PDB file of all heavy atoms in Angstrom:
ATOM      1  N   THR A  33     100.326  93.784 111.840  1.00  0.00           N
ATOM      2  CA  THR A  33      99.192  94.066 112.714  1.00  0.00           C
ATOM      3  C   THR A  33      98.938  92.884 113.658  1.00  0.00           C
ATOM      4  O   THR A  33      98.684  93.074 114.854  1.00  0.00           O
ATOM      5  CB  THR A  33      97.931  94.382 111.886  1.00  0.00           C
ATOM      6  OG1 THR A  33      98.241  95.433 110.989  1.00  0.00           O
ATOM      7  CG2 THR A  33      96.784  94.788 112.775  1.00  0.00           C
ATOM      8  N   VAL A  34      99.011  91.672 113.146  1.00  0.00           N
ATOM      9  CA  VAL A  34      98.837  90.486 113.987  1.00  0.00           C
ATOM     10  C   VAL A  34      99.942  90.408 115.035  1.00  0.00           C
ATOM     11  O   VAL A  34      99.692  90.059 116.199  1.00  0.00           O
ATOM     12  CB  VAL A  34      98.773  89.216 113.113  1.00  0.00           C
ATOM     13  CG1 VAL A  34      98.850  87.965 113.972  1.00  0.00           C
ATOM     14  CG2 VAL A  34      97.508  89.211 112.283  1.00  0.00           C
ATOM     15  N   VAL A  35     101.174  90.744 114.650  1.00  0.00           N
ATOM     16  CA  VAL A  35     102.276  90.753 115.616  1.00  0.00           C
ATOM     17  C   VAL A  35     102.008  91.774 116.716  1.00  0.00           C
ATOM     18  O   VAL A  35     102.249  91.496 117.901  1.00  0.00           O
ATOM     19  CB  VAL A  35     103.625  91.024 114.904  1.00  0.00           C
ATOM     20  CG1 VAL A  35     104.720  91.332 115.893  1.00  0.00           C
ATOM     21  CG2 VAL A  35     104.004  89.837 114.034  1.00  0.00           C
ATOM     22  N   TYR A  36     101.491  92.943 116.358  1.00  0.00           N
ATOM     23  CA  TYR A  36     101.118  93.932 117.368  1.00  0.00           C
ATOM     24  C   TYR A  36     100.093  93.365 118.346  1.00  0.00           C
ATOM     25  O   TYR A  36     100.174  93.576 119.565  1.00  0.00           O
ATOM     26  CB  TYR A  36     100.532  95.185 116.706  1.00  0.00           C
ATOM     27  CG  TYR A  36     101.486  96.304 116.479  1.00  0.00           C
ATOM     28  CD1 TYR A  36     101.848  96.684 115.202  1.00  0.00           C
ATOM     29  CD2 TYR A  36     102.007  97.025 117.548  1.00  0.00           C
ATOM     30  CE1 TYR A  36     102.712  97.728 114.977  1.00  0.00           C
ATOM     31  CE2 TYR A  36     102.872  98.086 117.340  1.00  0.00           C
ATOM     32  CZ  TYR A  36     103.212  98.429 116.055  1.00  0.00           C
ATOM     33  OH  TYR A  36     104.076  99.474 115.844  1.00  0.00           O
ATOM     34  N   ILE A  37      99.096  92.650 117.829  1.00  0.00           N
ATOM     35  CA  ILE A  37      98.064  92.069 118.687  1.00  0.00           C
ATOM     36  C   ILE A  37      98.675  91.057 119.649  1.00  0.00           C
ATOM     37  O   ILE A  37      98.414  91.078 120.856  1.00  0.00           O
ATOM     38  CB  ILE A  37      96.965  91.407 117.838  1.00  0.00           C
ATOM     39  CG1 ILE A  37      96.201  92.446 117.029  1.00  0.00           C
ATOM     40  CG2 ILE A  37      95.989  90.625 118.720  1.00  0.00           C
ATOM     41  CD1 ILE A  37      95.280  91.847 115.988  1.00  0.00           C
ATOM     42  N   VAL A  38      99.479  90.159 119.117  1.00  0.00           N
ATOM     43  CA  VAL A  38     100.098  89.123 119.951  1.00  0.00           C
ATOM     44  C   VAL A  38     101.004  89.738 121.012  1.00  0.00           C
ATOM     45  O   VAL A  38     100.987  89.343 122.183  1.00  0.00           O
ATOM     46  CB  VAL A  38     100.860  88.112 119.071  1.00  0.00           C
ATOM     47  CG1 VAL A  38     101.694  87.168 119.905  1.00  0.00           C
ATOM     48  CG2 VAL A  38      99.884  87.336 118.201  1.00  0.00           C
ATOM     49  N   LEU A  39     101.791  90.742 120.618  1.00  0.00           N
ATOM     50  CA  LEU A  39     102.667  91.401 121.598  1.00  0.00           C
ATOM     51  C   LEU A  39     101.865  92.138 122.667  1.00  0.00           C
ATOM     52  O   LEU A  39     102.278  92.179 123.831  1.00  0.00           O
ATOM     53  CB  LEU A  39     103.624  92.359 120.890  1.00  0.00           C
ATOM     54  CG  LEU A  39     104.721  91.701 120.058  1.00  0.00           C
ATOM     55  CD1 LEU A  39     105.540  92.754 119.340  1.00  0.00           C
ATOM     56  CD2 LEU A  39     105.603  90.822 120.922  1.00  0.00           C
ATOM     57  N   GLY A  40     100.719  92.708 122.295  1.00  0.00           N
ATOM     58  CA  GLY A  40      99.858  93.363 123.279  1.00  0.00           C
ATOM     59  C   GLY A  40      99.316  92.377 124.289  1.00  0.00           C
ATOM     60  O   GLY A  40      99.287  92.656 125.495  1.00  0.00           O
ATOM     61  N   TRP A  41      98.879  91.209 123.808  1.00  0.00           N
ATOM     62  CA  TRP A  41      98.388  90.182 124.716  1.00  0.00           C
ATOM     63  C   TRP A  41      99.505  89.674 125.626  1.00  0.00           C
ATOM     64  O   TRP A  41      99.300  89.448 126.813  1.00  0.00           O
ATOM     65  CB  TRP A  41      97.799  89.017 123.958  1.00  0.00           C
ATOM     66  CG  TRP A  41      96.480  89.310 123.297  1.00  0.00           C
ATOM     67  CD1 TRP A  41      95.628  90.332 123.578  1.00  0.00           C
ATOM     68  CD2 TRP A  41      95.891  88.580 122.247  1.00  0.00           C
ATOM     69  NE1 TRP A  41      94.533  90.281 122.768  1.00  0.00           N
ATOM     70  CE2 TRP A  41      94.664  89.206 121.927  1.00  0.00           C
ATOM     71  CE3 TRP A  41      96.257  87.456 121.525  1.00  0.00           C
ATOM     72  CZ2 TRP A  41      93.821  88.740 120.950  1.00  0.00           C
ATOM     73  CZ3 TRP A  41      95.408  87.009 120.538  1.00  0.00           C
ATOM     74  CH2 TRP A  41      94.196  87.635 120.256  1.00  0.00           C
ATOM     75  N   MET A  42     100.709  89.508 125.046  1.00  0.00           N
ATOM     76  CA  MET A  42     101.841  89.051 125.854  1.00  0.00           C
ATOM     77  C   MET A  42     102.208  90.076 126.919  1.00  0.00           C
ATOM     78  O   MET A  42     102.502  89.708 128.062  1.00  0.00           O
ATOM     79  CB  MET A  42     103.044  88.744 124.954  1.00  0.00           C
ATOM     80  CG  MET A  42     102.874  87.500 124.113  1.00  0.00           C
ATOM     81  SD  MET A  42     104.208  87.230 122.945  1.00  0.00           S
ATOM     82  CE  MET A  42     105.641  87.225 123.966  1.00  0.00           C
ATOM     83  N   ARG A  43     102.183  91.340 126.566  1.00  0.00           N
ATOM     84  CA  ARG A  43     102.504  92.384 127.540  1.00  0.00           C
ATOM     85  C   ARG A  43     101.463  92.432 128.655  1.00  0.00           C
ATOM     86  O   ARG A  43     101.812  92.593 129.824  1.00  0.00           O
ATOM     87  CB  ARG A  43     102.589  93.733 126.840  1.00  0.00           C
ATOM     88  CG  ARG A  43     103.020  94.848 127.756  1.00  0.00           C
ATOM     89  CD  ARG A  43     103.271  96.108 126.991  1.00  0.00           C
ATOM     90  NE  ARG A  43     103.658  97.160 127.911  1.00  0.00           N
ATOM     91  CZ  ARG A  43     103.702  98.419 127.596  1.00  0.00           C
ATOM     92  NH1 ARG A  43     103.404  98.799 126.371  1.00  0.00           N
ATOM     93  NH2 ARG A  43     104.045  99.321 128.467  1.00  0.00           N
ATOM     94  N   LEU A  44     100.203  92.284 128.306  1.00  0.00           N
ATOM     95  CA  LEU A  44      99.149  92.251 129.306  1.00  0.00           C
ATOM     96  C   LEU A  44      99.332  91.061 130.235  1.00  0.00           C
ATOM     97  O   LEU A  44      99.267  91.197 131.460  1.00  0.00           O
ATOM     98  CB  LEU A  44      97.775  92.184 128.621  1.00  0.00           C
ATOM     99  CG  LEU A  44      96.549  92.195 129.542  1.00  0.00           C
ATOM    100  CD1 LEU A  44      96.433  93.542 130.243  1.00  0.00           C
ATOM    101  CD2 LEU A  44      95.300  91.892 128.749  1.00  0.00           C
TER     102      LEU A  44
END
Side-chain angles (χ1 to χ4, degrees):
T33 306
V34 170
V35 168
Y36 264 113
I37 294 170
V38 170
L39 289 176
W41 288 342
M42 288 174 55
R43 184 172 179 193
L44 182 67

